Amino acid sequence: MNPTVDLKVFISSSDSSCTECGESLGHGAWITLVEGKGALCLACADLDHLVFLPPGNAALSRRARKRSTLAAVVLKWSRPRKRYERQGLLVEAQALEQAEGECLADEEARACRREREAMRRAELDYHYVERFAHRVRELFPGCPAGRETAIAEHACLKYSGRIGRSAAGKSLDEDAVRLAVIAHIRHTQTRYDELLARGDERRDSRDQVEEEVSRFLAEWEKNR
Ligand SMILES: [Zn+2]
């Protein structure tokens, strides 16, 4: 087993496009680099569920990193210094919340949380989230209570342009909803994130959890 490695996310310094989905990401996009394959957007790299934690609060960063199964260091090339510089961390939202809980005595952490929540609220199109959640419930009646909202919020952020995606998901068609549910199951019900954090190939990791994902999917889809 590989030791846990910090994945690296780069803020590109030139125009780039994703070699998997073909999306043109423009200048300053957040990408991962895969050996022999080039740049991947965070959605294709399956890292788009992570939230950005800027530096400035060392205790918070340390705790969030510790709590996060999957995490990435965000790096940006500095032209004057001719080296990559750390911009912060990408961590799991739940890990950040736990870390913030541990730092609650810390006024700065509270301020960060308020700022992040305000940003999140500004980005979410609540009407869309509601419709998407409703559709999840309709197609996957066995899905545990509350999950439809988590799935819908993530899909909304993903399709709202933040990740540079098209409006394909806006249509609420069954395939788009199913893909969002599959991604959610993979990240929350299986060891997938752990495998990625270990540095395993994304495809191998997906293969390893595929059966488990299908099982959950069938369970959630029951009685439709
Ligand atoms: Zn992509």
Side-chain angles (χ1 to χ4, degrees):
M1 181 170 149
N2 297 327
T4 296
V5 287
D6 265 329
L7 302 175
K8 293 188 179 77
V9 164
F10 298 93
I11 300 176
S12 74
S13 46
S14 56
D15 280 345
S16 53
S17 51
C18 175
T19 52
E20 192 153 309
C21 66
E23 193 82 37
S24 170
L25 303 169
H27 188 84
W30 292 37
I31 55 169
T32 57
L33 295 173
V34 180
E35 223 179 304
K37 279 195 197 161
L40 285 185
C41 72
L42 296 193
C44 286
D46 264 344
L47 298 175
D48 61 333
H49 63 302
L50 302 179
V51 294
F52 181 59
L53 175 60
N57 186 327
L60 184 64
S61 296
R62 196 181 57 244
R63 284 170 173 148
R65 174 64 195 90
K66 215 168 104 186
R67 295 274 183 196
S68 200
T69 307
L70 188 60
V73 184
V74 180
L75 298 165
K76 191 178 176 183
W77 181 255
S78 161
R79 212 170 281 165
R81 295 200 185 84
K82 292 193 167 54
R83 62 162 193 242
Y84 283 104
E85 292 187 321
R86 282 176 81 112
Q87 306 296 305
L89 290 172
L90 282 169
V91 293
E92 289 155 5
Q94 196 193 333
L96 182 51
E97 269 160 35
Q98 284 177 347
E100 280 169 338
E102 292 165 3
C103 292
L104 261 191
D106 186 337
E107 177 53 36
E108 206 178 339
R110 277 203 297 272
C112 284
R113 171 180 233 158
R114 276 197 298 275
E115 199 177 312
R116 195 165 49 80
E117 280 174 356
M119 264 173 65
R120 191 175 165 77
R121 274 195 300 275
E123 273 180 282
L124 283 174
D125 170 351
Y126 278 101
H127 187 62
Y128 176 63
V129 169
E130 212 172 283
R131 285 192 306 137
F132 201 103
H134 183 78
R135 192 85 172 107
V136 171
R137 180 54 63 196
E138 206 171 76
L139 296 171
F140 299 92
C143 152
R147 295 296 185 87
E148 67 271 32
T149 308
I151 295 167
E153 282 188 2
H154 180 68
C156 176
L157 289 174
K158 186 160 166 170
Y159 293 122
S160 67
R162 189 184 66 154
I163 314 291
R165 281 301 178 97
S166 67
K170 283 258 180 194
S171 64
L172 295 180
D173 72 45
E174 191 169 337
D175 284 345
V177 173
R178 172 177 291 266
L179 283 177
V181 171
I182 288 174
H184 176 83
I185 290 175
R186 206 184 273 132
H187 286 305
T188 60
Q189 309 295 131
T190 76
R191 291 178 60 234
Y192 183 62
D193 283 6
E194 214 175 293
L195 297 173
L196 285 186
R198 215 165 82 168
D200 287 15
E201 263 285 327
R202 193 162 43 97
R203 297 227 178 272
D204 297 344
S205 306
R206 282 197 176 198
D207 287 350
Q208 279 200 54
V209 300
E210 200 188 322
E211 255 187 66
E212 219 179 337
V213 169
S214 303
R215 244 197 344 265
F216 275 102
L217 207 58
E219 189 63 35
W220 291 11
E221 219 166 6
K222 248 189 224 162
N223 305 321
R224 194 176 131 186

